[in-house]
Amino acid sequence: MKKRVLKKGRFYVPTKDSKNESWISDEKIYGEAAKDPIKFWEKLAEEGISWKEKWKKGYEQKGEFFKWFLGGKLNICYNALDRHLYRLGDNKAIIWVPEKEDEKERIYTYKELWKEVNKFANVLKQKGIKKGDVVCIYLPLIPEVIISMLACARIGAIHSIVFSGFSSDALKVRVLDGEAKLLITADGYYRKGEKEKLLQRAEEGIKETKLKRTIVINRFDKKRALKKGQEWYDELLLKAGEYCEPETMESNEPLFILYTSGTTGKPKGVIHESGGYSVQAMYTTKWNFNLKEGEIIWCTADIGWVTGHTYLCYGPLLNGFTTLMYEGIPNYPNPGRFWKIINKYKVSAFYTAPTALRMFILWGDKWVPKKMDSLKILGSVGEPIDEVTWKWYFKKIGKGNLPVIDTWWQTETGTNVINSLPGVGPFMPGIAGRSLPGTKYGVVSETGRILKKGKGLLVQFPPFSPAMLRGVWKNEKKYKETYFKLNGKKVDYYITGDAAVLYPNGFIKILGRSDDVIKVAGHRLSTAELEHAIHKSKSIGDVAVVSRPDKIKGEEIVVFAMPKKKLESRKEERIRKEITSLVNTQIGPIARPKEIYFVEDLPKTRSGKIMRRILKSLLRDEELGELSTIVNKECIDEIKIKIKEGFKR
Ligand code: WTA
């Protein structure tokens, strides 16, 4: 077997062989890109993407708003499919692996995928969907989710995907905010071997919205009777025209919106556009995973998150790679499933989240096969990867011979932007890497002063990279305030919401969120959104949600609730159930609180603001720091005792 990495001190570096096989093997690219990032991206845009019309200007910025490749015309679906047809038409585009082992996989070649996308694009048009309309996609991991995305992109419709694990209420909020014209969903999917019904949840979610049309994909053996406004996908396709001309999109016209949690109650619709996103999605996939046409990448993220958008769908297809998609959970029917899939289909690049890896560690090494020869690159995403997990990944899955790429990014950045390139390295447990060539991340102090090194708030300096969000759907104010305001003052850099350590050589260690966003098993949740859900309980006066570190999931949700009246312990249990069920129905099971404490009071400032910082420190057994702004310090002791007593369900 080819040796791919060498140990150098505490780190690993790529071998010569490995460098020879890499798209990028010289670290000079960082310096060159930094000299003129706009020119750098323009060159990539020119080489990598087929444009219908070339842009007039590379980059333009006005205050918080910026554009890339102005006047450039393209279509991302054309770039992901049509242009590959001649050379790669018979290559596999999608390998779909169902959860049930006795069910056959489904494979789409580029030609087959192109055919189906064209037909479905015609269906959407026939249903009245036009350029600029929002189409909501509420689908599990089945090939039709990629087909739907590409069909939308082909006709210039904006897709808004809602994670299929979200509740009907969460769907409703997103359909209303996006003013979606049509919903694409499925009758259901398989989860842990059970049938998970989706259509009912979808129906519930759109009941109180203006959306009247639903296209339903048939995943189960038997078709159920459809209601008014619902039509079967397969039946519509039978009648659809074969070719649909791709819509011409100006580079800065929206491609999709994706809702994500921030520090306020309502999720934000992050807007991504066509041109810059295409360029960056394509190159990060190529460079980070070092693949060649015909090779397979498996990104285990759900398509409902940005990782799925970029590394399950757009990135691999723009490059002509094969994307593998698995419907189910990692341990069905047993914890060997992932590795079996890798060996069976000969996956080259594997991209997953630390939480999944920590579960595998827990399940035991006996499930991991001795050989997984097809693998070349291992990627990690979504949350900090601790050293123990990194080393396990490196030793057990990578057999001590594969680069482990820790990739930092966010829904807002569109693609990963801090990492170590596989042909350059170094690969270091605990340190994500450096800013992707052509981007510049750094840290600032709490007051906004730019720091040369050390701990601070992670920010991006302009020019902002091509795949960056271009706004928050229908909420310009939120866009400006969330990303470009620090302590109420406008700043010239983009604020990520994370804290990090910057080393003098440009390497960055991510510390985690610096705001009230929680990452549970890599899922991004907002404390405010959770509190909003819990406030619906009539028995609760005030509530604070904070995170507690968790060995497997990274973070867990802890609720401190102030009941309106003192509760007997019998009643406590009932209200705990009520809180859990409120969270379940308004967000989904991923947001289930781990612990719920009932307290008499919550630490507050004079203006009544709850000091979540104190609660967080109490849960972590840390120094509490400055307490002078708290008016009701007495409550801290009570909370301390409650936490110490622990939580019994
Ligand atoms: C966190 C997921 C540490 C971070 C792609 C960020 C990470 C948030 C890493 C965005 C990483 C993502 N190391 N933390 N490699 N990758 N994060 O929008 O806090 O779901 O702000 O995008 O995940 O989460 P989102």
Side-chain angles (χ1 to χ4, degrees):
M1 204 185 13
K2 220 177 254 169
K3 187 106 188 94
R4 293 186 197 273
V5 293
L6 292 172
K7 196 162 167 57
K8 198 172 165 192
R10 286 179 52 221
F11 307 144
Y12 295 87
V13 291
T15 56
K16 254 212 189 89
D17 267 354
S18 182
K19 276 183 177 290
N20 286 342
E21 278 193 350
S22 299
W23 291 107
I24 305 290
S25 55
D26 191 339
E27 67 181 296
K28 275 195 199 131
I29 190 170
Y30 289 94
E32 278 161 15
K35 264 190 236 149
D36 192 343
I38 298 169
K39 219 161 104 194
F40 172 79
W41 287 114
E42 281 190 278
K43 187 163 176 272
L44 295 176
E46 176 108 49
E47 287 169 4
I49 296 293
S50 299
W51 298 82
K52 215 169 160 193
E53 245 175 71
K54 195 174 166 188
W55 58 93
K56 310 256 171 343
K57 195 175 175 191
Y59 181 76
E60 184 180 276
Q61 192 181 340
K62 287 187 183 138
E64 299 91 336
F65 294 93
F66 51 94
K67 290 183 171 173
W68 274 94
F69 313 120
L70 292 85
K73 308 267 168 66
L74 79 160
N75 183 287
I76 194 170
C77 175
Y78 176 88
N79 274 278
L81 300 177
D82 303 49
R83 64 166 173 163
H84 301 317
L85 289 182
Y86 182 67
R87 255 180 353 100
L88 309 173
D90 295 322
N91 274 22
K92 296 181 182 99
I94 305 176
I95 300 177
W96 175 72
V97 183
E99 191 186 74
K100 291 194 293 180
E101 282 199 295
D102 56 1
E103 193 180 340
K104 211 174 146 24
E105 77 266 33
R106 266 161 66 191
I107 291 172
Y108 286 80
T109 63
Y110 273 92
K111 256 188 217 151
E112 288 162 347
L113 184 60
W114 178 84
K115 273 192 192 153
E116 191 146 336
V117 167
N118 270 277
K119 282 191 185 169
F120 194 43
N122 278 330
V123 168
L124 292 176
K125 269 181 150 174
Q126 203 189 32
K127 296 290 155 203
I129 301 301
K130 294 184 299 296
K131 177 173 178 178
D133 285 344
V134 174
V135 171
C136 183
I137 302 177
Y138 187 45
L139 283 178
L141 283 177
I142 52 176
E144 287 81 357
V145 74
I146 291 185
I147 293 164
S148 302
M149 292 165 84
L150 293 172
C152 286
R154 193 162 187 93
I155 63 167
I158 304 168
H159 59 73
S160 164
I161 302 189
V162 179
F163 170 50
S164 59
F166 272 143
S167 68
S168 50
D169 276 6
L171 173 66
K172 179 170 104 186
V173 171
R174 287 154 177 82
V175 166
L176 284 175
D177 189 81
E179 291 177 62
K181 298 255 162 51
L182 183 138
L183 178 71
I184 306 170
T185 189
D187 48 4
Y189 52 97
Y190 288 89
R191 204 98 198 125
K192 299 180 200 160
E194 300 289 324
K195 273 186 176 169
E196 182 74 37
K197 290 183 187 148
L198 188 64
L199 187 52
Q200 277 163 359
R201 245 192 285 147
E203 284 165 358
E204 196 59 34
I206 60 166
K207 223 174 11 199
E208 292 159 32
T209 71
K210 286 195 193 133
L211 196 156
K212 294 285 170 281
R213 270 183 199 286
T214 304
I215 297 180
V216 189
I217 288 140
N218 177 214
R219 168 78 187 98
F220 294 148
D221 304 335
K222 268 202 220 127
K223 279 187 176 172
R224 62 175 255 191
L226 290 184
K227 298 191 175 143
K228 196 167 163 255
Q230 302 175 337
E231 284 174 282
W232 289 112
Y233 169 89
D234 52 347
E235 291 170 15
L236 289 168
L237 275 200
L238 285 179
K239 295 176 271 177
E242 303 264 317
Y243 177 71
C244 171
E245 181 72 22
E247 184 72 41
T248 305
M249 304 294 284
E250 198 275 337
S251 173
N252 297 280
E253 286 182 316
L255 169 65
F256 65 83
I257 49 182
L258 180 56
Y259 284 85
T260 191
S261 297
T263 46
T264 47
K266 237 175 95 183
K268 300 186 289 269
V270 164
I271 306 173
H272 282 290
E273 50 56 79
S274 310
Y277 176 81
S278 299
V279 177
Q280 217 176 295
M282 175 167 167
Y283 278 96
T284 53
T285 311
K286 183 167 170 169
W287 292 348
N288 287 334
F289 301 106
N290 246 348
L291 298 176
K292 310 249 163 23
E293 286 161 356
E295 288 185 322
I296 302 174
I297 171 166
W298 181 14
C299 162
T300 69
D302 194 276
I303 201 87
W305 315 116
V306 73
T307 311
H309 280 61
T310 307
Y311 298 105
L312 253 172
C313 176
Y314 289 116
L317 299 179
L318 283 165
N319 282 291
F321 302 154
T322 304
T323 181
L324 188 141
M325 192 181 214
Y326 166 60
E327 177 186 35
I329 58 163
N331 58 338
Y332 186 82
N334 62 48
R337 186 68 191 273
F338 267 26
W339 321 128
K340 198 167 157 189
I341 292 175
I342 289 177
N343 275 342
K344 175 161 181 200
Y345 297 97
K346 307 208 176 344
V347 172
S348 293
F350 180 63
Y351 196 30
T352 198
T355 293
L357 296 171
R358 290 188 290 258
M359 297 294 293
F360 284 114
I361 298 178
L362 203 73
W363 291 325
D365 295 353
K366 70 166 193 212
W367 296 104
V368 183
K370 289 228 162 49
K371 270 189 168 179
M372 280 191 274
D373 283 351
S374 60
L375 285 175
K376 299 201 301 188
I377 304 269
L378 303 175
S380 170
V381 58
E383 40 176 331
I385 178 163
D386 56 279
E387 254 187 83
V388 174
T389 309
W390 194 103
K391 286 185 174 151
W392 185 86
Y393 200 18
F394 178 73
K395 274 197 196 130
K396 301 291 169 186
I397 308 304
K399 313 295 177 198
N401 190 35
L402 302 185
V404 170
I405 315 280
D406 182 11
T407 63
W408 179 93
W409 59 302
Q410 319 177 286
T411 305
E412 291 86 343
T413 65
T415 78
N416 56 48
V417 283
I418 299 178
N419 57 36
S420 281
L421 296 173
V424 182
F427 317 113
M428 308 165 280
I431 297 175
R434 47 192 153 181
S435 308
L436 183 79
T439 70
K440 191 175 176 199
Y441 282 81
V443 293
V444 302
S445 71
E446 298 265 325
T447 57
R449 200 163 40 83
I450 297 171
L451 305 174
K452 287 219 167 67
K453 60 175 176 139
K455 188 175 157 184
L457 303 173
L458 181 69
V459 301
Q460 186 196 173
F461 299 105
F464 301 116
S465 58
M468 282 295 287
L469 84 160
R470 300 310 168 77
V472 171
W473 191 250
K474 290 197 308 194
N475 203 338
E476 199 175 300
K477 188 161 165 246
K478 194 141 188 194
Y479 169 74
K480 291 185 187 168
E481 289 184 350
T482 313
Y483 306 112
F484 299 97
K485 252 190 185 170
L486 189 61
N487 309 319
K489 265 200 355 230
K490 187 172 171 282
V491 291
D492 302 331
Y493 39 76
Y494 162 86
I495 301 167
T496 65
D498 276 43
V501 179
L502 173 69
Y503 296 99
N505 55 5
F507 282 87
I508 293 169
K509 181 184 177 71
I510 307 291
L511 298 172
R513 296 294 301 196
S514 61
D515 55 10
D516 290 325
V517 168
I518 302 185
K519 275 262 157 166
V520 181
H523 301 318
R524 180 164 161 182
L525 299 165
S526 126
T527 54
E529 220 174 306
L530 281 147
E531 286 165 9
H532 185 75
I534 298 168
H535 266 298
K536 297 236 154 92
S537 160
K538 290 202 175 63
S539 323
I540 300 300
D542 220 340
V543 62
V545 171
V546 290
S547 70
R548 178 206 268 282
D550 181 78
K551 276 208 187 89
I552 301 291
K553 294 184 172 179
E555 285 188 312
E556 274 285 19
I557 293 163
V558 179
V559 176
F560 292 93
M562 256 169 76
K564 284 190 182 142
K565 284 191 293 207
K566 197 167 166 44
L567 299 176
E568 305 155 27
S569 51
R570 207 159 31 89
K571 226 171 157 206
E572 277 193 359
E573 207 35 49
R574 221 192 65 214
I575 297 178
R576 275 202 184 102
K577 281 205 182 107
E578 187 196 357
I579 289 177
T580 307
S581 122
L582 281 169
V583 170
N584 249 332
T585 52
Q586 281 175 74
I587 304 173
I590 53 167
R592 188 173 198 263
K594 175 85 186 214
E595 297 167 17
I596 301 168
Y597 294 102
F598 294 105
V599 296
E600 279 173 30
D601 207 355
L602 289 163
K604 284 184 186 143
T605 61
R606 203 166 299 281
S607 59
K609 205 174 152 228
I610 299 174
M611 298 283 284
R612 290 196 196 81
R613 170 178 73 77
I614 303 287
L615 299 169
K616 258 174 117 169
S617 299
L618 284 171
L619 285 170
R620 286 163 177 75
D621 219 0
E622 290 168 353
E623 288 290 321
L624 295 186
E626 184 56 44
L627 295 179
S628 61
T629 51
I630 299 174
V631 287
N632 53 348
K633 281 188 217 105
E634 323 73 61
C635 72
I636 295 179
D637 285 331
E638 185 220 341
I639 298 173
K640 242 189 224 166
I641 295 169
K642 286 264 161 83
I643 294 175
K644 206 162 180 193
E645 277 172 1
F647 176 76
K648 294 169 215 82
R649 212 183 253 283

